[in-house]
Amino acid sequence: MNLSLRTAARIAWRETRSSMVKFTFVVLGVAAGVGALSGVRGFSQSFEGMLTSEARTVMAADLTARQFVLPDPEQTAQLDALAARGVERTLITETVTMASAVNPPPEATPVLISIKAVDPARYPYYGVVKLQPPMPLQQALKPDSVIAGEDLLIRVGVKVGEKIRVGGQDFTVAATMLSEPDRLSGTLNIGLRMMMSREALDRTGLMQIGSRSAQRFLFKLDPGAPPVKEVRAEIKDALPESTVADFTQSHPIITAGLNRATVFLSLVSLIALIVGAIGVGMAMHAHLQQKMDNIAVMKSLGATSREIIRIFTIQTLILGLAGGLGGVLVGRGVEQVFPMLINKLFAISAPVTWHVAAAVQGIIAGILTTLLFTVPPLLAIRGIRPALILRRDMPDARPPWTKRIGETKAALAAGALILAGIGLLAAWLSDSTRVGGYFAGALSVSLSVLAVVAAMLLRGVRLFVRQSPWKIPALARQGFANLYRQGNQAQAILVALGLGVMFTLTVYLVQNSLVKEIIATAPPEMPNVFLIGVTDAQTAPLKELIAAQPGVLGPPALGPAVAARLVGIDGVPVTEHQLGDGIRRRFTNTRSVTWEAEQPSDVTVLEGAWWSKGTKEPVVSIEEEAARTLEIEVGAKLELESNGRPIHARVVAIHRVDAMRSTPSAEFVFNPEALAGLPEVYYGGVRMQPSAVGGLQRAVFAKFPTITVVNIADALSIAQQVVDQIALVIRFLSGFAILAGAIILAASVAGTRFRRVREVVILKTLGATRRHVRRVFSIEFTALGGVAGLLGALLATAFSDLVLKRLLGAKFEIDPVAAGIAILGTAVLANLSGWLASFRILQQKPLEILREE
């Protein structure tokens, strides 16, 4: 017998059609994984395509330059020279402050807002700011008017046309801000947003000398202007501290972040695909068990194992291709859902198109993963002998140990092949062999642990049924016993469902624990209210005001900050030192330094000695990590520059900060004489009873409207928004793994359909009603789902504990509510999936089946 490839394909297609019901579920499992994968990569391509095609709109300019200091006169002159050559520019300032209604209720508390100050005559160069009611931006932004996000207006209780107070000045809200073209390019993208003109910002008095804010220049190239690359180089030369981007490269920061997110989410989706592939392997194993007689007959007629393996390999390819094509359709839905999942972070309007590359990647990954997990059952075909037909009803003889060792070697080889294949797939999706290796290793460990724990849990259920001191009802005993029916593959189902539950619950537990850790681990004396933008003249009256407030648990701490830039070390320019790009940028850009008259109590001197009070010579102490990075020792001489004035100081100490600080914790701490006469701004905090924070915010806002008072809860809420959005995306994709596990359960039910039909017939013949049979099946499905949920919850708890303690250095607390919901939800899902596949089984009439026998 010599089977051609065409004949093998025809037989495979006939086999697939005859088992379509059974294979429908595993195809859906593969489709779930491919859908998640192709959806992620399709969205990434849409987003990147939007950035490329609408790069000018995303930036609202041809080029952008972002830094945290205003340009000095020399830099401004260089930019003016560019303007004379056709390079227009406008400046955007972004900062945070407080806002409230003009006549708020007594209990109303000012809210923390993000301000974006623009020149409406120039901004935006490309795109448009959408307002409600519709109007030109230049009409909306006057020196006495602002526009704001709807959420901000709701929080402060102000409507369009009414007034809002910012920086002690009243502004009319001209319109609600629906969207802004360069939202992605902004520095402060989270929180309550407000836009105003530069004249309005000057009215607020928020921008004092030394105030820290993000400064973003937008540049537009007029006809006849120099090429974009030349302009970019000249801007970088004029503003060496800035991050410069142009429309030809889309947006480098966003693109880099998008690429990293795509790799991570692709690997999460690959887990869902692997769960679906496990289902295909299970289904193929059950299918081959049922086809053992056919295989033996084919071998008796002369077919070789290789030819028969070819038939079922083609059948696997058909299943993988069908799942891949179905997954591409699912991926379109995933791609549409993604913008809704991250709408708090970005306003995205990517075009709805088919992404051939993402679809092809998904289909290829689906086919390859499916093939990998069907290798063990396909290799088992080699062990089927024609004599099995004659010995089917005889007890199996225990094979000799040499044969058992050979089978073990084959199983190990198949496992190694699967592991290597998964690693290569992960490396392909991530463009990193290192990531592929880590992923394959972590997955193999996870699946091994899941398999062992699943076997232990199933054994525990079995022992409970057999040795329970309580009398278990017959129907319940029958339902539990179904977990061990021939071909049920309960352990593989538990692994698949447990993997999805473990991943989803782990994300939730880590996210929840981290936020709780931030709140709970602050030292008892650590301030819970932070003060930003305090001038020297405001420090004394501010302290008096705080001392008079009820609920103050300690005196306020305020520390000075001066903007300065490191220029040289021991007479050698810092740019000539052998430093990495990141380190050079970190230390040569303008940064905050501070001064202390005496050694603070939370600072330990490691080398040298702190200065005594009244020291006239300019001296400095350096934090140990900065000293090590810059290779600075005690006795070195530093040169810094602040506001055009050089600062020369001798290093007298290297220190370490021993505790969290509310005052500026700069790496360079000078004595007061070294920074005398330079503009400074104060930062600090105070600890108060939580119920009294609102009163302090109202009092400070009324007397010092330019000071920003940040309740730690406000800061946490902003961080929480980001964490929640990221976690939501991950949970959405890991949910596909749970879905694939549920589909595998349905596939297992469909695969054991004939055995279940016989069981139903026997039970009905013995007098069981359809309700009794439903109870038996419900107990079986509930037990499977409950045990899978318990398995996932146990491993998620252990894994979260490991991640938080070992990798993040955070504390972990068990969350019984989340675990309980996971167990209950998995049990419900397993019930739904099982009944979906069992519906036709219950419709069988006993007489019809008995006649066939």
Side-chain angles (χ1 to χ4, degrees):
M1 186 174 181
N2 186 15
L3 287 177
S4 65
L5 184 62
R6 181 178 179 182
T7 303
R10 290 175 59 189
I11 297 174
W13 174 242
R14 189 165 57 247
E15 287 284 342
T16 304
R17 282 191 306 171
S18 64
S19 307
M20 188 59 70
V21 174
K22 175 172 55 181
F23 286 130
T24 297
F25 293 104
V26 297
V27 169
L28 291 176
V30 175
V34 172
L37 181 61
S38 62
V40 166
R41 302 187 80 80
F43 172 79
S44 175
Q45 290 179 17
S46 291
F47 195 17
E48 196 159 356
M50 181 268 291
L51 290 175
T52 302
S53 63
E54 301 183 24
R56 286 185 170 92
T57 303
V58 172
M59 294 182 175
D62 291 311
L63 301 96
T64 66
R66 181 193 289 107
Q67 59 186 29
F68 292 92
V69 292
L70 287 169
D72 58 33
E74 182 180 346
Q75 294 171 336
T76 302
Q78 289 181 269
L79 296 179
D80 288 341
L82 273 175
R85 297 164 59 195
V87 182
E88 297 182 40
R89 77 175 185 275
T90 185
L91 177 63
I92 296 175
T93 299
E94 293 170 303
T95 188
V96 294
T97 188
M98 311 295 290
S100 77
V102 174
N103 296 305
E107 69 281 0
T109 302
V111 298
L112 183 68
I113 66 169
S114 299
I115 286 183
K116 179 176 179 179
V118 303
D119 178 359
R122 292 173 174 264
Y123 170 85
Y125 286 129
Y126 301 98
V128 64
V129 179
K130 295 182 181 179
L131 305 177
Q132 185 63 38
M135 66 178 70
L137 186 64
Q138 198 165 356
Q139 177 183 337
L141 296 185
K142 303 289 185 181
D144 59 350
S145 64
V146 297
I147 58 176
E150 185 178 11
D151 50 355
L152 167 56
L153 300 183
I154 292 173
R155 281 286 301 275
V156 297
V158 172
K159 298 178 182 178
V160 173
E162 297 180 350
K163 291 187 179 295
I164 190 170
R165 182 163 293 171
V166 182
Q169 302 296 318
D170 296 343
F171 297 89
T172 301
V173 179
T176 301
M177 181 166 50
L178 301 180
S179 67
E180 49 194 306
D182 58 336
R183 175 77 180 267
L184 294 174
S185 301
T187 304
L188 303 169
N189 284 316
I190 306 299
L192 307 175
R193 298 178 62 75
M194 175 183 288
M195 187 182 295
M196 60 175 57
S197 65
R198 301 205 62 81
E199 292 83 1
L201 180 65
D202 293 339
R203 279 188 61 206
T204 64
L206 294 172
M207 293 294 100
Q208 303 290 332
I209 295 178
S211 297
R212 294 284 285 177
S213 57
Q215 310 292 340
R216 182 157 52 95
F217 284 97
L218 305 184
F219 298 91
K220 181 184 178 184
L221 303 183
D222 292 336
V228 63
K229 289 186 178 180
E230 180 182 335
V231 173
R232 177 175 175 165
E234 294 193 35
I235 292 173
K236 188 62 180 177
D237 181 63
L239 305 173
E241 297 186 33
S242 65
T243 301
V244 183
D246 65 71
F247 73 92
T248 63
Q249 59 171 172
S250 179
H251 197 295
I253 297 176
I254 299 174
T255 304
L258 178 66
N259 291 338
R260 287 193 295 268
T262 301
V263 168
F264 175 72
L265 296 178
S266 295
L267 296 180
V268 174
S269 303
L270 183 57
I271 292 175
L273 178 57
I274 288 169
V275 173
I278 291 173
V280 176
M282 288 169 47
M284 187 58 68
H285 174 75
H287 182 61
L288 292 176
Q289 290 294 313
Q290 293 176 9
K291 296 292 181 180
M292 193 173 292
D293 290 344
N294 304 48
I295 294 172
V297 169
M298 292 174 69
K299 285 192 172 183
S300 297
L301 296 176
T304 64
S305 295
R306 178 180 298 177
E307 291 171 332
I308 298 172
I309 289 174
R310 182 187 302 165
I311 293 172
F312 291 102
T313 300
I314 294 174
Q315 186 175 13
T316 301
L317 286 172
I318 293 173
L319 295 176
L321 180 61
L325 293 174
V328 170
L329 297 176
V330 175
R332 290 297 299 134
V334 173
E335 190 175 344
Q336 296 303 309
V337 171
F338 253 73
M340 292 185 284
L341 296 178
I342 57 176
N343 59 0
K344 292 273 187 181
L345 298 179
F346 306 117
I348 296 171
S349 56
V352 179
T353 57
W354 286 97
H355 298 282
V356 177
V360 170
Q361 281 182 321
I363 292 172
I364 291 175
I367 292 174
L368 292 178
T369 310
T370 302
L371 277 175
L372 284 172
F373 280 90
T374 51
V375 166
L378 290 176
L379 290 179
I381 292 175
R382 298 177 306 165
I384 297 177
R385 299 289 181 264
L388 287 173
I389 300 174
L390 303 176
R391 297 205 309 262
R392 174 55 56 84
D393 296 325
M394 297 176 63
D396 292 334
R398 183 177 176 83
W401 65 271
T402 53
K403 185 175 181 181
R404 295 201 302 274
I405 291 176
E407 291 175 349
T408 302
K409 288 181 178 179
L412 290 175
L417 177 63
I418 292 174
L419 187 62
I422 292 299
L424 290 174
L425 267 174
W428 175 49
L429 293 174
S430 63
D431 292 324
S432 170
T433 54
R434 183 180 180 185
V435 171
Y438 282 145
F439 181 83
L443 184 68
S444 63
V445 172
S446 299
L447 290 177
S448 300
V449 172
L450 280 164
V452 171
V453 177
M456 293 171 61
L457 287 174
L458 282 174
R459 184 172 179 81
V461 172
R462 193 170 192 173
L463 289 174
F464 172 76
V465 173
R466 291 182 175 179
Q467 303 178 13
S468 173
W470 304 284
K471 184 178 180 180
I472 301 176
L475 293 179
R477 186 179 293 274
Q478 179 69 24
F480 286 127
N482 278 358
L483 296 176
Y484 307 98
R485 69 165 69 250
Q486 187 177 3
N488 199 28
Q489 298 181 323
Q491 185 173 347
I493 294 171
L494 293 181
V495 170
L497 267 176
L499 183 64
V501 173
M502 180 189 76
F503 202 95
T504 306
L505 188 57
T506 297
V507 172
Y508 171 79
L509 293 176
V510 171
Q511 168 205 5
N512 205 37
S513 295
L514 279 178
V515 174
K516 286 184 178 179
E517 180 80 2
I518 294 173
I519 299 172
T521 58
E525 70 282 356
M526 186 69 187
N528 56 358
V529 179
F530 293 95
L531 307 165
I532 301 173
V534 184
T535 65
D536 184 41
Q538 292 172 330
T539 53
L542 177 63
K543 289 181 179 180
E544 293 178 5
L545 176 65
I546 293 174
Q549 296 299 308
V552 177
L553 302 178
L558 291 171
V562 174
R565 181 169 61 91
L566 182 63
V567 176
I569 303 173
D570 286 328
V572 180
V574 71
T575 53
E576 296 182 11
H577 283 256
Q578 298 298 317
L579 303 173
D581 288 341
I583 296 174
R584 179 178 290 108
R585 194 161 47 245
R586 172 184 166 193
F587 285 102
T588 58
N589 286 353
T590 299
R591 54 199 299 103
S592 290
V593 300
T594 189
W595 56 258
E596 295 283 357
E598 298 177 341
Q599 181 179 342
S601 59
D602 58 355
V603 167
T604 299
V605 175
L606 304 177
E607 296 181 33
W610 204 267
W611 49 88
S612 58
K613 190 173 182 179
T615 300
K616 299 300 181 183
E617 177 194 3
V619 292
V620 62
S621 177
I622 303 180
E623 191 270 334
E624 61 174 331
E625 182 183 348
R628 183 169 55 250
T629 302
L630 296 170
E631 299 180 349
I632 295 176
E633 298 180 352
V634 173
K637 294 183 179 180
L638 303 186
E639 181 183 353
L640 294 90
E641 184 180 275
S642 176
N643 288 276
R645 193 188 100 179
I647 304 170
H648 297 275
R650 180 171 57 89
V651 178
V652 296
I654 295 174
H655 69 269
R656 178 178 64 227
V657 179
D658 299 322
M660 296 176 63
R661 312 184 78 194
S662 59
T663 55
S665 183
E667 291 161 318
F668 298 88
V669 181
F670 294 81
N671 63 332
E673 287 73 14
L675 304 181
L678 290 172
E680 58 192 6
V681 65
Y682 287 76
Y683 299 90
V686 61
R687 186 161 187 84
M688 302 187 67
Q689 294 176 357
S691 59
V693 174
L696 174 67
Q697 288 180 305
R698 289 189 290 271
V700 173
F701 186 73
K703 189 170 183 179
F704 304 106
T706 60
I707 295 177
T708 302
V709 182
V710 182
N711 185 349
I712 189 65
D714 293 335
L716 283 176
S717 68
I718 294 174
Q720 183 78 54
Q721 287 184 43
V722 180
V723 173
D724 285 348
Q725 292 288 304
I726 295 171
L728 180 62
V729 171
I730 298 173
R731 286 200 298 269
F732 171 73
L733 291 175
S734 58
F736 279 87
I738 298 179
L739 177 62
I743 293 172
I744 288 175
L745 171 59
S748 175
V749 173
T752 56
R753 176 173 176 269
F754 295 109
R755 294 190 181 95
R756 288 178 181 273
V757 167
R758 290 174 61 88
E759 178 186 342
V760 169
V761 168
I762 293 171
L763 289 174
K764 287 184 176 180
T765 303
L766 295 175
T769 64
R770 184 173 295 183
R771 188 175 70 173
H772 289 148
V773 176
R774 282 200 298 263
R775 287 182 180 178
V776 171
F777 281 10
S778 291
I779 291 170
E780 175 189 355
F781 300 147
T782 301
L784 265 176
V787 173
L790 178 62
L791 170 65
L794 289 174
L795 293 178
T797 301
F799 190 56
S800 300
D801 182 69
L802 177 67
V803 169
L804 286 165
K805 289 183 177 178
R806 300 292 183 184
L807 301 182
L808 303 177
K811 184 180 178 182
F812 173 71
E813 292 183 4
I814 296 175
D815 191 338
V817 174
I821 292 174
I823 294 171
L824 180 62
T826 312
V828 172
L829 182 63
N831 252 309
L832 292 174
S833 305
W835 280 114
L836 179 65
S838 303
F839 181 76
R840 290 181 58 192
I841 295 173
L842 292 175
Q843 307 303 315
Q844 297 290 340
K845 304 293 184 183
L847 191 58
E848 295 176 0
I849 303 302
L850 292 174
R851 280 174 177 168
E852 292 179 4
E853 295 289 334

